[in-house]
Amino acid sequence: MEKAKVYFSDLRTSPTSNLLDKMERLLKRAGIGQLPLKDSFTAIKIHFGEPGNLAYIRPNYAARMANLLRSFGAKPFLTDCNTLYSGRRSNAVDHLQSAMENGFNPISAQCQVIIADGLKGTDYREIPVDGEYCPAPKIGTAIADADIIISMNHFKGHEQAGFGGALKNLGMGCASVGGKLELHASSQPKVDIENCIGCNICVKHCAHDAIHLNAGRKAEIDYAKCVGCGQCVALCQHDAAVVSDWDTSERLNYKIAEYSVAVLKDKPHFHISFIMNVSPECDCWNHNDAAIIPDLGMLASADPVALDKACADLVIQAPVLHSDNVLAKKHEHEDLCGCDKFHMIHPDTDWLAGLRHAEKIGLGTMNYELIKI
């Protein structure tokens, strides 16, 4: 298979070239201007960061991206979907407030912020891809309706996927709340009776008539009718409808690849990843542990699979920082030499199998040429 081109820029700066300038040069050199951007609704998929976490991509980069896209005639907007877990990004009201607190707003980011799957995470489009694990991924409507997809990815560790890069940002980040349930769960949802207040919202909105209130006014699921769509999990504001059993890391990565195919299906796309503040775990936490490696640079490509492989290779080759973080507590530095850092952070993950599956289903190639600019 022909090698994909992945472009790399280090983080050295000068009085005449700051990091924003370097990012713009990287994007142009990597070919972002070749996209059919004029008059296109262009989704910039980014993680706004859970409040309290400071490892996420700075909004300054998003603003420069939006201005660059606008210079080519695009109509850019920043977007993400609501979360499955309860936090400050599980509904659009709290999500937008969190984004604003972290600096993502029309003034600082130079474009509008749209939560792609709506107020409660129920606004999605099923996109058939004939996947082995996910036949019709549930993608947030604003992303499904976009003409072009741009992903801005903070490359870091992830407690279940192994690492979070372009595919994680696309496949999991663009999934609606019900879609995130499909990604994470190996079975249908369940009801935590102690948290149920009998509000009846899950009963009213179950499309399959699979939920009812029992004599004690607690929700019960009829599993003969439940299809596992996750609508009840998306709607419940009291942590009563929850994920039942979590899927394996390997299957999660397979599903993420298939969801990424759905996000990018029939759409021009482009991707940039930042290897900075490489925290051991995801930006979804309300804190970020000390970085596991030094900051390395920015990488861009039209191929998200090649981009993730290139980022992973650079991180694995980088020296481990002697920091007091999750990684340092679990594993001594000498045990890491020559090893896969992502497996050392979270030994049960199989991120490489996910990249192989992404390559198999035509999302991209792991065979890349790294071009330094």
Side-chain angles (χ1 to χ4, degrees), residues 205-227:
H205 292 276
C206 179
H208 305 280
D209 195 29
I211 311 179
H212 64 276
L213 295 185
N214 61 22
R217 288 198 60 79
K218 299 289 186 177
E220 287 185 354
I221 299 175
D222 181 349
Y223 288 105
K225 296 180 180 179
C226 176
V227 299

Side-chain angles (χ1 to χ4, degrees), residues 179-197:
K180 288 181 173 69
L181 176 68
E182 182 179 27
L183 286 166
H184 284 294
S186 58
S187 61
Q188 295 152 306
K190 66 178 181 180
V191 175
D192 185 336
I193 297 298
E194 291 184 3
N195 289 340
C196 180
I197 66 168

Side-chain angles (χ1 to χ4, degrees), residues 65-134:
M65 173 68 84
N67 284 329
L68 176 61
L69 294 171
R70 198 177 292 108
S71 73
F72 290 116
K75 301 177 188 297
F77 63 95
L78 291 172
T79 191
D80 198 3
C81 286
N82 292 308
T83 59
L84 177 62
Y85 60 87
S86 107
R88 290 195 53 199
R89 294 179 302 117
S90 61
N91 63 80
V93 174
D94 293 339
H95 203 159
L96 286 170
Q97 179 66 29
S98 299
M100 185 164 58
E101 288 179 19
N102 284 345
F104 297 96
N105 57 65
I107 297 174
S108 62
Q110 299 292 301
C111 67
Q112 296 299 320
V113 179
I114 299 174
I115 305 305
D117 60 339
L119 183 62
K120 299 178 180 178
T122 58
D123 190 5
Y124 65 87
R125 200 72 59 70
E126 291 193 27
I127 300 178
V129 294
D130 196 27
E132 182 179 351
Y133 302 93
C134 304

Side-chain angles (χ1 to χ4, degrees), residues 282-347:
C282 185
D283 294 343
C284 293
W285 291 98
N286 61 357
H287 63 93
N288 56 284
D289 208 345
I292 62 175
I293 62 162
D295 292 349
L296 298 181
M298 302 175 282
L299 295 89
S301 180
D303 186 324
V305 179
L307 181 61
D308 273 357
K309 185 61 166 62
C311 288
D313 287 345
L314 287 174
V315 169
I316 290 168
Q317 293 162 14
V320 176
L321 292 174
H322 287 277
S323 299
D324 185 16
N325 57 26
V326 169
L327 182 61
K329 289 178 181 177
K330 290 186 177 180
H331 304 283
E332 296 297 328
H333 180 237
E334 54 266 27
D335 295 333
L336 289 167
C337 295
C339 292
D340 176 346
K341 291 185 180 66
F342 295 111
H343 280 291
M344 299 307 290
I345 301 169
H346 308 291

Side-chain angles (χ1 to χ4, degrees), residues 35 37 41-45 77 79 139 142-151 170 174 262-265 267-271:
L35 297 173
L37 290 163
F41 289 101
T42 303
I44 304 173
K45 174 60 184 73
F77 63 95
T79 191
I139 306 302
I143 292 170
D145 282 348
D147 302 314
I148 293 175
I149 306 294
I150 306 291
S151 73
L170 292 165
C174 295
V263 172
L264 302 181
K265 185 179 180 182
K267 297 181 189 293
H269 53 89
F270 198 86
H271 316 276

